[in-house]
Amino acid sequence: MTSNNSDSDNNNSGSNGVSTTTSLIYSRSMIVLFSTKILRMFSYGALTPVFYSYLLLLGIDIFYAGVLMTLILVGDLAVTLNLTTRADSFGRRNVLVIGALLKFGAGFIFASTSNYALLVLAGIVGVISTSGGEIGPFISVEQASLTDAIIHQIGEHQARAVIPVWFGWYNAGGYLAQALGALVSGNLVSVLLDTYSWDSLSAHQAVIYLYAAIGILMALLYRFGLGTEIESIHIHEDATPNKCDVTILIPKMELGLHRSDSVFIVARLSCLFALDAFAGGFVMQTWIAYWFEERWNFSPKLLGDLISISNVVAGISGISAAYFVSRFGAINTMVWTHLPSNIFLLLVPFMPTKNAAALMLVTRFCISQMDVPARQSYVAMVVASNERSAAGGITNIARSVGLLLAPAITGYLSEAKPGSMKFNAPWIIAGVLKCVYDLTLWAMYHMSTGLKKAEDSNAKAAAIIHNNNIPTTERTPLVVAVR
């Protein structure tokens, strides 16, 4: 992560103790954002091997467990929409603290009661991951914060090349933490059962309490560790196109978006992401763990190992995304790494042995997540600074909407005999729909000017900033005209 910029403002440390050397970009806020990402994904990963089984141990019918997971996703939709579309005006740090407290509350209630109504309430109002992946307002607001923290130091022109690299490492850290969480969780349950003779319900509850405790730790880190550079840089459409003013002007917004181009591009991407997420909802990691347990009799420890390995290779693959983005573009990277992985996904249930099935799953994860930093950096850079939290939130909400129906359908299909076509159907449905998403995204990008136009418009904005030679230490808050 190097740069050829020789400006003195960018090659020296500022008075606030933040490094502005582009070869080593960091600040306290960036460290906190990486730390909370790792803590959060560790807790999500820890929940993955045990959550579905925990619901069954509580005495919840398998179908109603699927319904509960769907209702949790409904709650995520409401929480994410409410918080992310207000984050850039209400304050990103404030929103992150609220999200962490909701995570704690949901985890504590799930660990403390078996009352189905209370679990539904906690799942809807709180933040709890049923898939092992991101949920709630965190990723949208954190990535918007990380983007502006980088731009604050080196300017938007250079940041366009640096941000995909940081998003790659940001996601890689998350995947590795998620893998470690799954590994720790599976082994913890096994140790509590075998060594300390805990009953199965209590052993699983220990993991849920750990999930809740991490929510409190995240809230403290957000509250006392984040600085002002993570807040939004506001864009004013009516300013002179070739000048940059150091004032805050907040225009009227629609769900956090104020430019017509932004509304257009976010709407198109949201529809596509919803299709991809609907497909992914059939093969969430909690269900994958259940499928391997029922189909191949995997133990909790072996499940934890499998999910851990899958997330490790996924994290490593994400780091390489920046290279492909710079060489082939974000959309091409998203499509041509994602499409082969979905073919591997289709093949998992047809493998003749448990080792072959596990190997095919891990092979799929080797390339399945390379599209993630490409997608995230694309969304972050095709909208204005004070639209980033909203754009990330809306596209993530679209993904949540796509997920709504899938778990309930999966719950119905999972009632079939293990090994039957009906039991294996979620793999096939997910693989086919994800292939349709990839090909549609590629066609829309190359057969329409809409997605390309957004890239060109924001590249122009970056050039305006760069050509004005405004020192990065004077660029927060910044008003930029984009025509």
Side-chain angles (χ1 to χ4, degrees):
M1 294 174 290
T2 61
S3 172
N4 294 325
N5 187 358
S6 60
D7 294 347
S8 60
D9 289 314
N10 289 344
N11 292 334
N12 296 290
S13 297
S15 59
N16 60 355
V18 176
S19 170
T20 55
T21 304
T22 56
S23 60
L24 184 60
I25 306 166
Y26 71 93
S27 68
R28 185 181 68 180
S29 294
M30 293 173 68
I31 293 172
V32 168
L33 292 170
F34 270 74
S35 299
T36 52
K37 170 73 171 182
I38 289 170
L39 285 169
R40 183 172 67 257
M41 296 310 296
F42 175 87
S43 68
Y44 289 172
L47 211 58
T48 301
V50 304
F51 187 72
Y52 205 82
S53 298
Y54 175 70
L55 295 180
L56 300 182
L57 287 170
L58 290 176
I60 299 173
D61 180 78
I62 188 171
F63 174 75
Y64 287 104
V67 171
L68 175 58
M69 294 175 73
T70 297
L71 292 174
I72 289 173
L73 293 172
V74 172
D76 172 54
L77 175 66
V79 169
T80 302
L81 177 64
N82 187 51
L83 293 181
T84 58
T85 56
R86 290 170 169 79
D88 291 328
S89 57
F90 180 65
R92 291 172 179 169
R93 181 177 67 176
N94 296 332
V95 166
L96 290 170
V97 170
I98 292 171
L101 293 176
L102 291 175
K103 179 180 183 296
F104 161 74
F108 183 80
I109 292 175
F110 266 81
S112 304
T113 183
S114 60
N115 184 284
Y116 190 76
L118 288 177
L119 295 179
V120 169
L121 179 63
I124 292 175
V125 177
V127 175
I128 194 159
S129 176
T130 62
S131 64
E134 282 284 8
I135 196 169
F138 302 110
I139 188 169
S140 303
V141 181
E142 281 189 351
Q143 289 184 340
S145 300
L146 186 60
T147 298
D148 281 317
I150 294 172
I151 291 174
H152 175 70
Q153 295 180 60
I154 64 175
E156 188 170 347
H157 183 75
Q158 294 183 52
R160 292 177 68 88
V162 173
I163 286 169
V165 178
W166 277 97
F167 278 10
W169 283 102
Y170 172 87
N171 286 299
Y175 284 122
L176 294 175
Q178 187 178 10
L180 180 60
L183 183 65
V184 169
S185 174
N187 283 275
L188 175 62
V189 171
S190 295
V191 168
L192 292 177
L193 289 172
D194 300 336
T195 304
Y196 295 97
S197 300
W198 284 33
D199 63 88
S200 186
L201 178 61
S202 297
H204 284 68
Q205 278 178 327
V207 177
I208 313 298
Y209 277 119
L210 175 63
Y211 177 91
I214 289 176
I216 288 293
L217 182 56
M218 288 172 55
L220 293 173
L221 286 171
Y222 287 139
R223 177 62 183 84
F224 299 106
L226 294 180
T228 57
E229 75 273 15
I230 63 105
E231 302 297 346
S232 63
I233 305 169
H234 296 289
I235 309 301
H236 181 34
E237 290 191 37
D238 298 326
T240 304
N242 60 352
K243 292 185 179 181
C244 299
D245 304 320
V246 187
T247 56
I248 296 179
L249 295 174
I250 306 177
K252 181 181 179 181
M253 296 187 180
E254 296 292 337
L255 291 178
L257 303 175
H258 66 87
R259 296 191 307 169
S260 59
D261 284 350
S262 298
V263 174
F264 177 79
I265 193 68
V266 169
R268 286 197 165 192
L269 291 175
S270 295
C271 292
L272 290 171
F273 294 169
L275 174 62
D276 181 46
F278 175 69
F282 286 94
V283 287
M284 294 189 297
Q285 288 194 4
T286 47
W287 180 83
I288 290 174
Y290 175 76
W291 186 88
F292 272 94
E293 181 181 9
E294 293 295 312
R295 178 66 180 88
W296 297 112
N297 297 316
F298 273 39
S299 66
K301 181 181 183 302
L302 195 55
L303 286 172
D305 292 343
L306 174 62
I307 294 173
S308 177
I309 293 170
S310 298
N311 286 319
V312 166
V313 298
I316 293 173
S317 70
I319 297 174
S320 62
Y323 168 78
F324 291 100
V325 170
S326 64
R327 189 176 179 89
F328 303 109
I331 299 296
N332 286 328
T333 300
M334 290 164 63
V335 172
W336 299 115
T337 60
H338 203 231
L339 187 60
S341 74
N342 296 325
I343 296 174
F344 294 137
L345 184 70
L346 274 167
L347 295 175
V348 171
F350 298 105
M351 293 297 101
T353 66
K354 65 179 183 180
N355 290 335
L359 180 61
M360 186 59 66
L361 180 66
V362 172
T363 303
R364 189 254 174 177
F365 275 101
C366 286
I367 56 175
S368 67
Q369 302 304 308
M370 290 178 66
D371 73 306
V372 174
R375 182 184 74 233
Q376 293 167 343
S377 61
Y378 179 83
V379 172
M381 296 307 295
V382 297
V383 297
S385 172
N386 61 337
E387 298 175 316
R388 286 186 180 123
S389 295
I394 292 169
T395 52
N396 283 330
I397 288 166
R399 295 181 65 83
S400 295
V401 170
L403 281 168
L404 288 179
L405 294 177
I409 299 173
T410 301
Y412 166 73
L413 296 172
S414 299
E415 293 178 334
K417 180 181 178 181
S420 67
M421 182 58 69
K422 181 179 178 181
F423 187 75
N424 294 335
W427 295 102
I428 301 168
I429 296 171
V432 170
L433 290 178
K434 280 180 169 289
C435 288
V436 171
Y437 155 77
D438 290 326
L439 296 176
T440 304
L441 175 63
W442 184 85
M444 287 181 64
Y445 183 75
H446 288 279
M447 299 174 69
S448 170
T449 60
L451 301 183
K452 288 185 177 180
K453 182 180 178 181
E455 285 185 306
D456 296 339
S457 174
N458 284 276
K460 180 181 178 181
I464 291 172
I465 297 171
H466 180 66
N467 292 336
N468 277 271
N469 294 319
I470 296 181
T472 58
T473 53
E474 298 175 9
R475 197 175 286 138
T476 300
L478 176 68
V479 177
V480 181
V482 180
R483 294 284 185 185

